[in-house]
Amino acid sequence: LIEAFVQTSGFPEIQDYNNPETPIGVIGRGDYQEQFDNGYIRESAAFAFLGEDVVDFRGNGVGGRRLKVKVRAHAMTLLWDENDSNKVIGVRYSRNGKVHEAFANQEVIVAGGMFSASFLQLSGIGPEEVLLNANVQPRVINDNVGRHM
């Protein structure tokens, strides 16, 4: 029944929704691309590719793990080094109604999902005109950020 509805919806099928060749503004249908463990349990990319010996899902640094993962958190903006305008040193995020800042000794990894373009733009990464119109200090000019949204 669902397949019949999808086929008669009039929306074109999109095989790869991450394809940069997909024209801007096209609305279509397609399967979600997800990672599953044993074929039925949804598994995060962090756990699947890094493993529990590296990842600390509780966020408390147990066992010398080198990566803290904050779930149910909303990344707000990247934090930039005041002495090096090209270096990101952390991230500001909200969780449970409170704003937090997390700093990194090495890399900052943020999974923005569907809000990744706005997150990057609020952090100063994106088309210069968009950043200036939003009163955001341009850090990295990249016209492709938000282009296919």
Side-chain angles (χ1 to χ4, degrees):
L1 183 62
I2 293 173
E3 187 62 32
F5 171 77
V6 168
Q7 289 179 357
T8 60
S9 69
F11 293 114
E13 182 176 5
I14 298 176
Q15 293 289 329
D16 181 1
Y17 52 79
N18 292 312
N19 184 348
E21 300 300 318
T22 301
I24 297 172
V26 168
I27 297 175
R29 59 184 170 82
D31 294 330
Y32 280 105
Q33 300 164 0
E34 297 178 319
Q35 174 70 29
F36 288 89
D37 179 27
N38 296 327
Y40 62 93
I41 299 173
R42 188 169 188 279
E43 184 173 55
S44 74
F47 193 79
F49 297 106
L50 298 175
E52 63 183 308
D53 58 326
V54 175
V55 180
D56 175 13
F57 290 98
R58 293 176 300 280
N60 57 15
V62 172
R65 295 175 178 149
R66 301 180 305 271
L67 176 66
K68 293 182 183 178
V69 176
K70 300 290 185 178
V71 295
R72 294 176 189 81
H74 173 73
M76 299 166 63
T77 185
L78 293 171
L79 302 174
W80 298 85
D81 188 328
E82 293 179 9
N83 300 316
D84 183 351
S85 63
N86 293 318
K87 183 178 180 182
V88 174
I89 58 171
V91 64
R92 181 174 297 119
Y93 66 97
S94 64
R95 186 175 187 209
N96 298 327
K98 296 180 182 176
V99 175
H100 305 273
E101 291 183 347
F103 296 91
N105 294 327
Q106 294 180 7
E107 291 86 8
V108 174
I109 303 171
V110 179
M114 66 190 310
F115 300 107
S116 60
S118 62
F119 170 75
L120 290 171
Q121 291 172 356
L122 289 169
S123 299
I125 303 171
E128 186 172 29
E129 183 178 345
V130 171
L131 301 176
L132 293 174
N133 287 339
N135 294 320
V136 174
Q137 177 186 354
R139 300 287 190 155
V140 177
I141 304 303
N142 186 326
D143 291 335
N144 291 317
V145 175
R147 185 171 180 207
H148 295 286
M149 301 305 279

